[in-house]
Amino acid sequence: MADQRGEEFLRGKMTSPRATFLELFFDVAFVFALTRVSNRLVQDFTVERRTFLPEAGQTLLLLLALWFVWSLTTWTTSRYNPEQPVLQLVVAGSMFGGMVMAVSLPEAFDTRGLSFALGYVAVQVGRPLVITVVMRHHRERHIARRNLVWAAVSAVPWIAGGLVQDEARGVLWTVAVIIDYGAGRLGWPLPGRGRSPASSWTVTGEHLAERFQQFIIIALGEMILISGFTFSGSEFDGAQWVAFAITFATTALLWRIYFYRAGTVLADAVAASPRPGRLAESATYTHLTMVGGIVASAVGYELVIAHPGGHTDPAWLWVIIGGPALFVLGRTRFEYEVFGRVSRSRLIGLAVLVAIVPLVAGLPPLAVAAATSAVVAGMGLVDALRARGRPEERPAPPM
């Protein structure tokens, strides 16, 4: 009987699979965090530096840390009962830690490195520590223990990185991120105890699907927020009006492309999969790719609204064109996860986005954005034409 104590902390058949209001409240911290990421990335593209790639790499590192906090918290609420006060405390604590990371993020590689690292470590160690305590008599307590051990291991380079400066911080934090993501991919192995990959966990697929959908909406909302702030502070000239309209249209198109079939039936795909955990684990990294594409797109179109004319900095092409391309790349993988096939329009769209880079490199930013948006609109149009008169396709996940 001792092995059954703690069963009430697991999600049961009577627990609603829908996201709770607390989880939606938790997401508010990440709306703010994504704006911090975008603002930092804009500085990487506009401030005169000879070290652009290292600066952008630092921002990517911070985004990976934020995503790891959000995704592991989401997996936790998908496995454990979010109606339990203890789990609600875990979510609230994770939200506070996320806010600490967000407010520290702009200067994370300068004067606020330690506060960013402490916020991250507090969440990543605190979450499995609490669950280990409440599940200490349950037969599945080993999962939280594994997470706790590896979180403690990665905490060393995270804290050490916060205490040093310059390149040493980047090296240590890169090692920490590799440990975190590598341990997750390997199933948090322990000597003599093997592995326990997330794909083998008992999770609520409908809940995970809804949470992924909600985060895509958050990222798209951040794109609207950034473009709105940028345009409201502009001179409102004709070119900036056009840039703002293109930005809004592109945001709507990304929403349409994500939710066209695959995004809508993700929950059904997870339910239809013989190994729902494996599909959900794969979707975690796929959605990270799409979120990265949306954040980069937000940065690119913010630059276009602020500077629609003149010469396009070659580095700006990485976000004006590369952002939508990264989103489409993730969306292509997502389509395969749900349906086991890939639409030709996705592959053609990716090829065209790559092909137009040398053609638009000498044009003003507004023209580059217009060409990119036209390609994205073409993919959305093909989706709409293909859907006309056809029954909805049922998911057929290959995993």
Side-chain angles (χ1 to χ4, degrees), residues 153-183:
V153 170
S154 73
V156 175
W158 274 115
I159 300 297
L163 294 172
V164 298
Q165 298 291 330
D166 302 325
E167 290 82 3
R169 178 173 298 173
V171 171
L172 286 168
W173 282 3
T174 299
V175 171
V177 167
I178 291 174
I179 291 173
D180 285 330
Y181 278 83

Side-chain angles (χ1 to χ4, degrees), residues 39-49 52 299 302-303 306-307 313 315-316:
N39 289 340
R40 193 180 195 281
L41 198 53
V42 166
Q43 293 180 2
D44 295 341
F45 280 93
T46 55
V47 177
E48 291 294 333
R49 293 186 178 117
F52 160 69
V299 171
E302 179 179 357
L303 294 171
H307 311 283
D313 189 314
W316 292 11

Side-chain angles (χ1 to χ4, degrees), residues 104-328:
S104 306
L105 192 146
E107 302 297 328
F109 277 88
D110 192 4
T111 59
R112 299 177 182 173
L114 184 59
S115 63
F116 182 90
L118 288 174
Y120 180 87
V121 170
V123 175
Q124 297 298 82
V125 172
R127 185 198 310 109
L129 177 61
V130 171
I131 295 175
T132 297
V133 172
V134 299
M135 298 290 290
R136 61 187 180 278
H137 297 298
H138 196 274
R139 60 183 178 276
E140 295 188 15
R141 58 189 178 273
H142 65 91
I143 293 178
R145 288 179 178 176
R146 292 172 181 274
N147 294 345
L148 178 59
V149 169
W150 279 101
V153 170
S154 73
V156 175
W158 274 115
I159 300 297
L163 294 172
V164 298
Q165 298 291 330
D166 302 325
E167 290 82 3
R169 178 173 298 173
V171 171
L172 286 168
W173 282 3
T174 299
V175 171
V177 167
I178 291 174
I179 291 173
D180 285 330
Y181 278 83
R185 290 293 294 171
L186 295 175
W188 293 278
L190 292 179
R193 294 183 178 270
R195 305 185 303 159
S196 180
S199 59
S200 65
W201 295 2
T202 301
V203 294
T204 307
E206 182 178 345
H207 174 265
L208 274 177
E210 183 178 2
R211 296 296 286 134
F212 288 143
Q213 293 165 343
Q214 289 166 349
F215 203 88
I216 290 294
I217 293 295
I218 288 172
L220 291 172
E222 185 267 344
M223 189 171 176
I224 292 290
L225 191 66
I226 291 294
S227 63
F229 275 127
T230 304
F231 184 57
S232 66
S234 72
E235 298 176 358
F236 271 47
D237 63 29
Q240 289 174 321
W241 270 104
V242 174
F244 180 62
I246 290 175
T247 302
F248 181 83
T250 303
T251 306
L253 286 166
L254 295 181
W255 169 85
R256 166 66 179 171
I257 290 172
Y258 173 80
F259 280 102
Y260 172 72
R261 298 290 172 88
T264 303
V265 301
L266 176 58
D268 294 335
V270 175
S273 175
R275 295 184 63 186
R278 183 180 178 190
L279 173 57
E281 182 184 27
S282 179
T284 299
Y285 297 99
T286 299
H287 281 76
L288 170 60
T289 303
M290 288 187 282
V291 168
I294 294 172
V295 170
S297 298
V299 171
Y301 284 89
E302 179 179 357
L303 294 171
V304 173
I305 293 173
H307 311 283
H311 176 70
T312 300
D313 189 314
W316 292 11
L317 298 176
W318 284 96
V319 284
I320 300 175
I321 299 178
L326 183 61
F327 172 83
V328 173

